[in-house]
Amino acid sequence: MWIRSTLAYRVSFALTVVGGLLVTGLDFVAILLMFSQVDVLGGYALPEVAFLYGLSATAFGVADLAIGSAGRLGVRVRDGTLDTLLVRPAPVLAQVAADRFALRRVARITQGVLVLGWACAVLDVGWTPVKVLLVPVMIVSGGMIFSAVFVAGAAFQFVAQDAAEVQAAFTYGGQTLLQYPPTVFGRELVRGVTFVLPLAFVNWVPASYVLGRPYPLGLPQWAAFTPPLVAVACCAVAGLAWRAGLRTYRSTGS
Amino acid sequence: MGSARLYAAVAAGGFRRYATYRVATAAGVFTNTVFGLILVSAYLALWDERPHLGGYGQAQAVTYVWLGQALFATLAIQGGGFETELMERIRTGEVAVDLYRPADLQLWWLASDVGRASFQLLGRGVVPFAFGALFFPTALPDDPALWAALLVAIVLAMVVSYGIRFLVALSGFWLLDGTGALQVLMVTGMFFSGMALPLNAFPQPLGDLVMLLPWSALLQMPADVLMGRVDPWSAFAFQAGWAVVLLAVGRWAQGAATRRVVVQGG
């Protein structure tokens, strides 16, 4: 329904996609500006940073397209319109995901894929079948990990109501973090996004294998192949959080 | 005198309105602190590679990041102030009622936005900035005069930011759908105000060009005033110049727009 309503205004849709490309593309322009002044950042050259950026942006774009609408949950909790979803005979989470499903978010994925494609083309890497296969695996698992963060954030909004920005800190903040090489950040921060909120498995850890870089925190080599497992675990935890959040829901009014 | 009291009341209302959302404010403080941490790390890596990039030392680059996080919501650098509301009123036609009121449209929203910005500065700006100053090596002056100058620069930045967003909002009279204009506001705000990278670290000649645009009055000028890298009076003059130009264009656009208003019959 939301797809059809968006496509009803074709010119407007095209404009918002182009605009979206510009908005999300600017993140990468900022990185390009940095590299106009230096040759390496945290020991990583531009194609390597572009590889990290493309992976994180694409995975985030997939999650944003699938479940990004969950950011609006706080509004529904506050004004009581969540009740409408509760009485319908469909899973609430699926309805929240489909709520105002914004097809224009394909802009983010497009932009990420473009940067990723460019990075893969110019990277000086000995591509093996395993490395090639790992790229789509990273995007899918990364998308699942980011989706889990979106859902957990939505669950938190049942409790906090108007704290949508806390969720933004972890979703948009996480994506921004992963655009830069892990060597840029302090050890505690890297440890936190590896073991507590496992964002490092979106790109840092598996990309280290592809790029032949030392692993963050000296993780063993097989860690590069764990993102699917991490993704499934994240989704399970997020699912539990979602159910717990939904149980605490009290409608507005008396 | 009576109208001054009216606009002061509107500003106080804007302040109080945003002060109501306590959890949202705390959430915003948290988000700005997280983004500050990420940016500080990236900037430190950058300045490690190129010491004194753009004339900043590492401590000055760090100060710049935390001032940026403090002013992000205050100056609504990517939007998020009154402009969405005014656009909605233009789209629905409710603006016709506003135009009949015995208060000026431009001044009314300016007062309300200054109220909002003042609250965001106190509620959302101070904590991330203090956090940054406490846990990172920053380049903060001891001279109270520079802090006073910073305050003046921030107030002028509020007016410039308002001037830009008022024009964006008025574009609704011609475009009706505000999505595109708001997107442009986001892009330009993030890029030309130096939220992504300090303007003096831009490669030349792009760097010289962006310093002349109104957006450099938002973050770059207050930052350079605080760190004593620019003569405060010339910074004020630059900011005030753009404020006057933007407000004048806004006034003209308001006149042109009100002549266009057609109230739909029911």
Side-chain angles (χ1 to χ4, degrees):
Chain A
M1 179 181 76
W2 287 109
I3 297 182
R4 238 185 301 153
S5 83
T6 315
L7 291 178
Y9 305 96
R10 277 167 211 285
V11 178
S12 178
F13 174 71
L15 280 177
T16 45
V17 169
V18 172
L21 267 175
L22 280 176
V23 173
T24 50
L26 268 188
D27 289 345
F28 190 63
V29 173
I31 291 178
L32 285 178
L33 276 182
M34 289 186 182
F35 273 94
S36 75
Q37 305 283 9
V38 295
D39 295 325
V40 286
L41 194 65
Y44 282 60
L46 179 59
E48 294 174 297
V49 174
F51 185 64
L52 291 177
Y53 176 92
L55 285 171
S56 133
T58 311
F60 185 81
V62 169
D64 190 38
L65 182 68
I67 192 113
S69 308
R72 291 170 30 87
L73 186 82
V75 180
R76 283 193 170 270
V77 172
R78 235 174 307 145
D79 64 14
T81 48
L82 189 71
D83 293 5
T84 335
L85 305 188
L86 290 175
V87 295
R88 286 195 199 136
V92 181
L93 187 57
Q95 294 184 56
V96 168
D99 183 26
R100 300 206 167 265
F101 179 80
L103 197 60
R104 65 187 150 74
R105 292 193 182 122
V106 292
R108 198 182 282 280
I109 303 179
T110 315
Q111 191 262 137
V113 169
L114 285 177
V115 175
L116 184 62
W118 176 78
C120 288
V122 295
L123 264 180
D124 187 20
V125 162
W127 288 100
T128 61
V130 179
K131 286 185 180 180
V132 173
L133 208 64
L134 197 54
V135 173
V137 170
M138 277 191 262
I139 292 172
V140 173
S141 333
M144 284 169 72
I145 293 175
F146 272 128
S147 300
V149 178
F150 267 114
V151 171
F156 175 68
Q157 288 191 44
F158 279 117
V159 189
Q161 305 209 352
D162 56 351
E165 285 215 52
V166 171
Q167 182 174 21
F170 289 108
T171 50
Y172 290 89
Q175 197 228 336
T176 311
L177 178 92
L178 295 178
Q179 291 170 8
Y180 299 102
T183 45
V184 161
F185 298 101
R187 221 182 143 71
E188 295 73 30
L189 193 61
V190 176
R191 207 173 279 158
V193 294
T194 307
F195 298 119
V196 183
L197 185 72
L199 292 174
F201 291 90
V202 172
N203 63 357
W204 283 353
V205 176
S208 297
Y209 174 80
V210 175
L211 299 174
R213 285 277 176 177
Y215 284 45
L217 308 172
L219 287 173
Q221 184 139 29
W222 51 261
F225 303 98
T226 53
L229 295 177
V230 174
V232 170
C234 284
C235 288
V237 172
L240 289 176
W242 171 260
R243 289 175 62 174
L246 197 56
R247 264 201 302 277
T248 64
Y249 175 66
R250 299 269 179 281
S251 189
T252 50
S254 50
Chain B
M1 200 51 227
S3 67
R5 209 178 309 145
L6 166 72
Y7 295 117
V10 172
F15 186 96
R16 263 203 306 278
R17 175 173 163 195
Y18 281 85
T20 328
Y21 303 113
R22 296 221 186 92
V23 183
T25 304
V29 166
F30 178 76
T31 309
N32 284 124
T33 311
V34 170
F35 271 97
L37 280 171
I38 296 171
L39 273 181
V40 160
S41 306
Y43 279 20
L44 284 178
L46 188 64
W47 262 266
D48 243 3
E49 205 62 44
R50 271 286 301 273
H52 306 297
L53 174 61
Y56 280 173
Q58 290 210 335
Q60 286 169 316
V62 170
T63 312
Y64 183 93
V65 168
W66 292 110
L67 187 66
Q69 291 305 315
L71 295 184
F72 181 70
T74 306
L75 301 178
I77 284 177
Q78 292 202 335
F82 74 102
E83 66 280 357
T84 34
E85 201 180 333
L86 178 54
M87 281 184 127
E88 188 60 19
R89 292 187 76 79
I90 292 171
R91 197 180 63 79
T92 57
E94 284 165 311
V95 73
V97 184
D98 300 345
L99 289 170
Y100 266 109
R101 293 204 172 115
D104 181 69
L105 190 73
Q106 192 183 28
L107 281 176
W108 172 283
W109 287 105
L110 173 63
S112 127
D113 198 54
V114 166
R116 176 202 63 80
S118 310
F119 172 74
Q120 300 285 37
L121 183 64
L122 294 173
R124 267 187 77 161
V126 171
V127 176
F129 192 76
F131 174 86
L134 221 61
F135 292 101
F136 291 89
T138 42
L140 298 177
D142 300 324
D143 185 3
L146 278 178
W147 288 94
L150 171 70
L151 214 57
V152 176
I154 290 177
V155 171
L156 285 169
M158 285 178 188
V159 182
V160 174
S161 160
Y162 170 80
I164 296 171
R165 287 176 293 126
F166 186 67
L167 284 175
V168 169
L170 285 193
S171 74
F173 276 110
W174 289 271
L175 300 173
L176 292 177
D177 178 34
T179 324
L182 289 174
Q183 238 168 22
V184 172
L185 180 72
M186 246 179 98
V187 174
T188 49
M190 139 116 187
F191 201 65
F192 294 128
S193 71
M195 275 307 289
L197 192 68
L199 299 182
N200 46 14
F202 273 43
Q204 297 303 342
L206 186 62
D208 282 337
L209 176 71
V210 289
M211 284 298 253
L212 295 176
L213 301 178
W215 289 277
S216 76
L218 301 186
L219 173 55
Q220 191 69 47
M221 286 297 149
D224 283 346
V225 164
L226 177 68
M227 293 185 275
R229 290 190 72 251
V230 64
D231 170 42
W233 292 108
S234 67
F236 298 162
F238 176 82
Q239 292 181 300
W242 268 119
V244 168
V245 169
L246 288 165
L247 290 180
V249 176
R251 164 85 21 194
W252 168 81
Q254 181 184 333
T258 42
R259 278 192 296 278
R260 268 183 57 95
V261 173
V262 177
V263 180
Q264 309 268 1

